[in-house]
Amino acid sequence: MDVIEFERQFSTEEACLQYLAQLRWPEGYRCPRCQHRKAWLTKRSLFHCAACGYETSVIAGTIFQDTRKPLQLWFQAIWHIVGQKNGVSAKGLQRVLGFTRYETIWIWLHKLRIAMVRPGRERLSGTVEVDETYIGGERPGKRGRGAAGKALVLIAVEDKGKQIGRIRLRRILDASATNLIMAVKESVEPGSLVRTDGWGGYGQISQEGFGHAIVRKSADVGENLLPLVNRGASLLKRWLLGTHQGAVRPSHLDYYLDEFTFRFNRRKSYSRGKLFFRLLQQAVCISPVPGSGIRGGN
Ligand SMILES: [Zn+2]
C-alpha cells in the first residue's frame, strides 16, 4: 500500500469503519444478541442488526472509543507514525495533522503506543542476553541503588548467532534479585539460556527454570561486555535522543519503550502497509485507555 492507495482506500469515514470491522470481526459480523450475520451501518456509525435491530459499535472497547475526531484522522496519524522509521514526536505529528491542541495529539500518541504492545505476545526464547541500563543520565550509576533522575531498564535480547533477534524492555525499580527475576520471567520463555554478567541479582536465575551462563564478573551498570544488549541499549538511547530530544519523563518511559520495541522487532519486515495493518489490528484488540490515565503533558 502506498500513499495514493492509502488515500483512496480510506477516503470516507464509512470505509474506515468497515476496515475496523474486518479487523475486529475477522470471521465476519455476528449480532451479539441474536447471532445474525447481516447488519447495516447507521448514520451514527453503528452496525444495525438486520434481524433484531440491535446496534453494535465497532469502536466500543477499543482505543478509538469516545473519540470526537473522525477515524480518518486517526488513520492518517497511524499512517504517518508507521511511515517514519525513527518515530515521531508529538510536535511533529501535530504539525502534520494540523491539530491546534497539543494535548490531544499527545494523548493519541500514547494510546497508540499502548496499542503497540500486542496483547498476549510471546516471550523471547533460545539464547537471550540480559542486562540493565540507565536511561536519562550521562554518568553510569551504581547497581542496586536508585539514581536521581534516571530510570533503570532491563534489556533482553535474543542472540541469533551474533545477530540481534527480538528484544524486550522493561522498566525496573532497582537491580535487586526480586525485580530482575520478575522482569526476566515476564520477558523470557522458561527453558531459554539466559546470559548475564556476574551480578548477584541474577544468581537465582537457574532456579527459576532458565539455563544461566555468566559471561563476565562486573559490578557497575554500563560496564560489561554483553555485546548484543549493549548495542540494543545504545540504539534505544540514540532513538530517544533523536526523536524525542531526550525529553522523556521517567513516568512516561514505559510508552517509549513499547514504541521502540514495536519498531525494533519489525525492523526487518519493515513495510509501511504491514505496520499500519498490524498497529490498527492491535488498536482494536485492546481496551480503551482513559485520557485521564495518561494526561500530564510532555
Ligand atoms: Zn440481532
Side-chain angles (χ1 to χ4, degrees):
M1 187 161 58
D2 60 22
V3 181
I4 294 168
E5 283 173 276
F6 172 81
E7 285 179 351
R8 196 171 43 215
Q9 189 174 349
F10 302 113
S11 60
T12 65
E13 205 52 16
E14 182 176 349
C16 297
L17 279 164
Q18 295 288 4
Y19 190 75
L20 288 186
Q22 276 175 37
L23 292 176
R24 198 159 185 206
W25 306 313
E27 316 285 302
Y29 168 85
R30 191 180 278 275
C31 172
R33 192 160 75 185
C34 77
Q35 307 295 307
H36 193 68
R37 308 212 63 137
K38 275 208 183 90
W40 61 81
L41 198 54
T42 70
K43 284 208 161 55
R44 289 164 45 243
S45 302
L46 298 168
F47 285 80
H48 184 104
C49 173
C52 76
Y54 188 82
E55 295 193 324
T56 317
S57 162
V58 71
I59 60 170
T62 76
I63 67 163
F64 307 114
Q65 180 178 308
D66 302 325
T67 186
R68 289 190 198 90
K69 301 269 191 202
L71 283 172
Q72 274 178 279
L73 274 178
W74 277 97
F75 278 42
Q76 279 166 25
I78 294 172
W79 180 250
H80 184 72
I81 289 169
V82 297
Q84 310 295 310
K85 209 159 186 180
N86 293 317
V88 287
S89 63
K91 282 223 156 59
L93 191 59
Q94 186 186 22
R95 257 196 314 276
V96 167
L97 295 179
F99 281 17
T100 43
R101 289 185 70 232
Y102 176 80
E103 199 195 23
T104 308
I105 204 69
W106 194 87
I107 289 172
W108 279 30
L109 265 182
H110 280 69
K111 286 187 176 186
L112 289 169
R113 286 196 183 103
I114 293 169
M116 288 175 186
V117 183
R118 186 160 53 84
R121 66 178 175 187
E122 63 274 11
R123 292 171 287 190
L124 305 184
S125 58
T127 301
V128 181
E129 270 188 17
V130 171
D131 198 8
E132 322 98 67
T133 190
Y134 277 113
I135 301 289
E138 288 302 313
R139 286 167 299 134
K142 282 281 179 202
R143 247 167 170 173
R145 290 179 224 163
K150 293 178 188 182
L152 193 60
V153 172
L154 181 115
I155 305 188
V157 178
E158 278 176 340
D159 179 350
K160 296 287 183 190
K162 306 298 167 202
Q163 297 282 317
I164 299 185
R166 296 169 301 168
I167 63 161
R168 290 281 180 267
L169 303 168
R170 193 160 286 278
R171 192 153 62 95
I172 49 178
L173 272 179
D174 56 45
S176 65
T178 311
N179 285 324
L180 289 177
I181 300 284
M182 193 161 65
V184 168
K185 284 164 92 174
E186 284 166 349
S187 310
V188 184
E189 205 60 50
S192 307
L193 178 65
V194 176
R195 200 190 295 141
T196 69
D197 61 20
W199 174 245
Y202 295 110
Q204 306 287 309
I205 226 164
S206 55
Q207 287 156 42
E208 300 288 338
F210 298 96
H212 188 201
I214 298 172
V215 295
R216 185 182 132 153
K217 303 278 176 200
S218 166
D220 288 330
V221 175
E223 258 194 78
N224 68 66
L225 285 178
L226 292 156
L228 301 181
V229 279
N230 276 354
R231 208 184 317 155
S234 67
L235 288 171
L236 168 66
K237 287 173 190 179
R238 206 184 306 159
W239 180 77
L240 285 172
L241 214 62
T243 308
H244 305 291
Q245 283 76 48
V248 173
R249 279 196 203 164
S251 58
H252 297 154
L253 186 62
D254 293 334
Y255 301 115
Y256 295 100
L257 298 180
D258 291 339
E259 177 175 358
F260 181 81
T261 304
F262 177 82
R263 290 178 181 281
F264 188 86
N265 289 345
R266 287 160 187 80
R267 70 199 180 282
K268 281 177 185 153
S269 60
Y270 176 79
S271 127
R272 193 175 192 176
K274 233 184 260 177
L275 286 182
F276 177 80
F277 169 79
R278 190 62 70 196
L279 186 49
L280 259 187
Q281 191 184 40
Q282 292 176 197
V284 298
C285 287
I286 61 162
S287 302
V289 187
S292 58
I294 49 178
R295 223 167 281 267
N298 194 21

